[in-house]
Each structure stands twice: as C-alpha cells, then as structure tokens.
C-alpha cells in the first residue's frame, strides 16, 4: 500500500535537487576518486541491472542501542546506481519508547510513517519547534540543515521511510558530536553548561574519551 507513496517521496527528492548529467547514468565506482560532485563513473560496459536494484531496506535497522533507534541505508555508498541522481532513502525502526536523537542533514528530508505512531519535528534557526504526532500514512518534511527528531509514542514498534534530495545527505547527530570523540570535558562544560560528572558519564556511554 505504501510503496507507491514511497516512490513519490523519491521523486520529490529527485525533482527538488537533481543533478544535471550528460549521460543516461553514472553508476558509482568506489575504487575511483570521490569528490564534491559524487563518485567517478563505473565503466559503462560493466554496468548491470543489479547496479540499479537494492534490497537493503527489507531488513530493519539495528535498534539495540540507547535510543532504541535503528537505520537501514540506501545511500550511494550502499546503492551505486544513485550516483548523480540527486536522491536517496533510509528506513528507520523505532522501538516502543525509542527516539531518533536530534540530528541534521545537508538537504531536505521527506518522511512517511508506515507503522506506528511517531512524534516528528524540527527546530528552526529562530529556536522555534515544529512537531506533530503522525500516524500510519502521514508525511512530514524537514528543511535542509535543521535539527530534527522522532519519538515513538505508540504501543508498537514504528517504521519510518525517508527520502533525501541527495545521494549522500550526510548526518550530524548532536549527542555523537559532543560525546563520541576526544573533545575535552572542560570544553564541553563551557559550551553546554553540563556538569563534569554528567559529561564523563555520557562519554563513557557513547565511547568518547578525554
């Protein structure tokens, strides 16, 4: 039922920021240099139908983590046929009580809930939050580069599919940026106002040091 809608999501992403290309396609060749415009093209004589097909979103994302939130990716790194197409997709699986932590992408995101009940929202550059409780079949769009989140508020595990206006939208997650690295605790104290004990606890949980 939802796959026609998912196709529409991908077409939206493509039309909003599709790259203009001179060839029918440019399947990514990860063995060649990768620059701002994407991967170099695979030798056309070696391109097959499999380059344009991907089954990775059949499998739920691994949600065995502190957020109970897992993601399965269909980006250019996993799906070479997306190279130069200006679009990609992910599947998010959110366990009961789980949440997608605040994160941002370089491009717009259009999401659809296919299972469960999810609060989906973002915060704009004026610090104004926009959020809504979504049911199965509901859509939500997030502008480029704004921090956004998802929370499963239903009684069953939730599944969300999202399309992006880029084959490689990137992701920056606040918690990982702060606590999964060697940035000194003293600096994090200054920029977050958290106490030292809490920062060190979070660093241990996320695998950071210092």
């Amino acid at each position: 039922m939802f796959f026609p809608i998912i196709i529409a999501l991908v077409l939206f992403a493509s039309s909003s920021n599709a790259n203009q290309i001179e060839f029918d396609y440019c399947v990514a060749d990860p063995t060649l240099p990768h620059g701002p415009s994407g991967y170099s093209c695979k030798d056309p004589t070696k391109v097959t139908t499999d380059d344009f097909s991907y089954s990775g979103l059949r499998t739920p994302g691994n949600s065995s983590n502190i957020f109970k939130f897992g993601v399965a990716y269909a980006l250019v790194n996993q799906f070479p046929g997306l190279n130069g197409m200006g679009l990609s997709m992910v599947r998010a699986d959110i366990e009961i009580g789980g949440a997608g932590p605040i994160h941002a992408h370089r491009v717009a995101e259009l999401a659809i809930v296919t299972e469960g009940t999810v609060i989906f929202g973002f915060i704009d550059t004026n610090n104004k939050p926009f959020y809504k409780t979504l049911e199965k079949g509901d859509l939500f769009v997030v502008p480029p580069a704004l921090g956004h989140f998802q929370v499963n508020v239903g009684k069953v595990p939730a599944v969300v599919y999202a399309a992006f206006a880029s084959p490689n939208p990137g992701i920056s997650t606040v918690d990982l940026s702060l606590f999964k690295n060697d940035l000194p605790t003293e600096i994090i104290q200054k920029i977050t106002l958290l106490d030292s004990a809490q920062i060190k606890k979070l660093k241990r949980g996320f695998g950071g040091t210092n």
Side-chain angles (χ1 to χ4, degrees), residues 125-203:
T125 56
N126 293 311
N127 298 315
K128 180 178 180 179
F130 295 84
Y131 60 96
K132 188 169 184 176
T133 300
L134 306 179
E135 303 288 347
K136 185 176 180 178
D138 291 342
L139 299 163
F140 198 90
V141 65
V142 179
L146 295 183
H148 54 285
F149 57 88
Q150 306 88 21
V151 182
N152 184 349
V153 292
K155 297 181 179 180
V156 298
V159 180
V160 177
Y161 287 87
F164 299 94
S166 169
N168 185 17
I171 182 170
S172 176
T173 304
V174 172
D175 299 275
L176 301 184
S177 296
L178 286 171
F179 308 116
K180 192 178 180 179
N181 55 43
D182 61 357
L183 187 64
T185 294
E186 293 76 14
I187 294 177
I188 298 176
Q189 275 186 282
K190 295 290 186 182
I191 62 178
T192 65
L193 303 181
L194 293 172
D195 65 64
S196 175
Q198 182 65 29
I199 293 169
K200 290 179 179 178
K201 178 181 178 181
L202 289 167
K203 276 183 170 285

Side-chain angles (χ1 to χ4, degrees), residues 62-65 67-71 92-95 98-101 103 150:
N62 182 5
S63 56
S64 59
N65 53 63
F67 294 110
K68 301 180 181 179
F69 179 82
V71 181
D93 290 87
I94 316 172
E95 299 298 328
H103 60 283
Q150 306 88 21

